[in-house]
């Protein structure tokens, strides 16, 4: 995050730097920006969309405001990864970091922000363990989950809370399946 970010934030939000530290805020910004750039590069969208730096800064500020409120209200010391992914996803969806630069291809790109968030969450949900390949007879269920998640972000109401619940439900299903597979 550039040095002007702190000055660009409304004075009421400068307390975030004191609470979280400039390095943590910068680190979260850079991590997310790198993921966004990777997504654009892998899909060869460099000439079709831009990552709005101003909007990304708003995403980061809004995310940390929410996390600060949660930590205070729920007396949380260390935020669980599910909350990190849920609240970042929510603000990415809400603010639409990707901006389309080619009006002639709007139809194919209209849901680019939702596609990114779906990929973002999928990479988190399917990261442990990374080496697991989906069995062919289970692929339909997994694909249905991923497609429904994208559909939900495109056409349904969402909140950080229901995104977090979706993440936790997926993880609970994985835990249940692991338990079922390892019964004596």
């Amino acid at each position: 995050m550039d040095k002007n970010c702190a000055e660009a934030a409304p004075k009421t939000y400068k307390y975030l730097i004191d609470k979280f530290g400039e390095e943590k805020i910068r680190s979260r910004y850079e991590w997310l920006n790198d993921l966004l750039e990777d997504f654009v590069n892998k899909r060869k969208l460099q000439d079709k969309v831009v990552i709005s730096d101003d909007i990304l800064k708003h995403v980061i500020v809004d995310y940390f405001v929410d996390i600060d409120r949660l930590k205070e209200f729920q007396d949380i010391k260390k935020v669980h990864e599910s909350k990190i992914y849920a609240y970042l996803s929510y603000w990415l969806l809400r603010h639409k970091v990707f901006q389309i630069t080619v009006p002639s291809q709007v139809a194919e790109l209209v849901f680019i922000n939702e596609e990114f968030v779906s990929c973002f969450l999928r990479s988190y949900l399917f990261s442990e363990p990374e080496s697991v390949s989906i069995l062919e007879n289970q692929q339909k269920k997994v694909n249905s989950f991923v497609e429904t998640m994208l559909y939900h972000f495109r056409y349904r109401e969402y909140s950080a809370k229901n995104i977090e619940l979706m993440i936790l439900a997926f993880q609970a299903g994985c835990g249940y399946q692991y338990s079922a597979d390892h019964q004596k």
Side-chain angles (χ1 to χ4, degrees):
M1 183 182 300
D2 62 31
K3 291 180 182 179
N4 295 330
C5 187
E7 288 81 34
K11 291 182 194 281
T12 56
Y13 294 126
K14 289 188 181 184
Y15 75 94
L16 295 173
I17 294 172
D18 294 332
K19 283 203 166 189
F20 293 97
E22 191 172 333
E23 182 53 36
K24 184 170 194 144
I25 295 169
R26 177 179 281 118
S27 167
R28 188 63 40 95
Y29 170 91
E30 289 171 355
W31 173 68
L32 197 51
N33 190 59
D34 288 347
L35 292 174
L36 291 160
E37 286 177 358
D38 286 348
F39 181 83
V40 168
N41 292 334
K42 284 180 181 166
R43 297 205 175 198
K44 298 180 177 24
L45 297 172
Q46 298 89 333
D47 298 332
K48 298 176 183 179
V49 299
V50 295
I51 301 164
S52 170
D53 189 57
D54 289 334
I55 294 173
L56 182 55
K57 288 174 185 173
H58 281 283
V59 166
I60 297 298
V61 168
D62 288 341
Y63 161 79
F64 276 106
V65 167
D66 276 355
I67 294 301
D68 181 50
R69 289 178 182 153
L70 282 170
K71 286 178 82 169
E72 221 170 275
F73 183 72
Q74 297 177 357
D75 196 29
I76 298 170
K77 302 294 180 228
K78 185 171 176 3
V79 178
H80 191 272
E81 273 190 312
S82 62
K83 282 193 187 315
I84 293 170
Y85 278 83
Y87 281 82
L88 281 173
S89 294
Y90 173 75
W91 287 112
L92 286 164
L93 290 166
R94 178 91 188 260
H95 288 312
K96 311 264 189 240
V97 172
F98 288 121
Q99 299 294 299
I100 302 168
T101 59
V102 276
S104 63
Q105 296 178 344
V106 167
E108 74 180 62
L109 298 171
V110 72
F111 294 114
I112 194 69
N113 289 283
E114 293 78 2
E115 288 175 31
F116 172 78
V117 170
S118 292
C119 289
F120 176 64
L121 288 173
R122 194 174 78 212
S123 71
Y124 170 61
L125 293 172
F126 293 98
S127 66
E128 287 189 28
E130 287 183 31
S131 61
V132 170
S133 57
I134 309 299
L135 299 175
E136 193 173 322
N137 66 348
Q138 297 300 306
Q139 192 67 47
K140 189 173 179 181
K141 290 178 185 176
V142 172
N143 289 345
S144 177
F145 171 77
V146 171
E147 290 165 9
T148 302
M149 180 173 53
L150 178 57
Y151 181 87
H152 182 80
F153 294 148
R154 286 179 175 177
Y155 303 112
R156 299 287 182 248
E157 291 182 34
Y158 52 82
S159 69
K161 294 171 195 168
N162 70 24
I163 296 170
E164 182 182 12
L165 182 60
M166 176 194 60
I167 292 169
L168 294 173
F170 183 89
Q171 292 171 334
C174 291
Y176 178 82
Q177 186 62 54
Y178 180 86
S179 298
D181 291 346
H182 292 86
Q183 293 292 316
K184 290 186 180 184

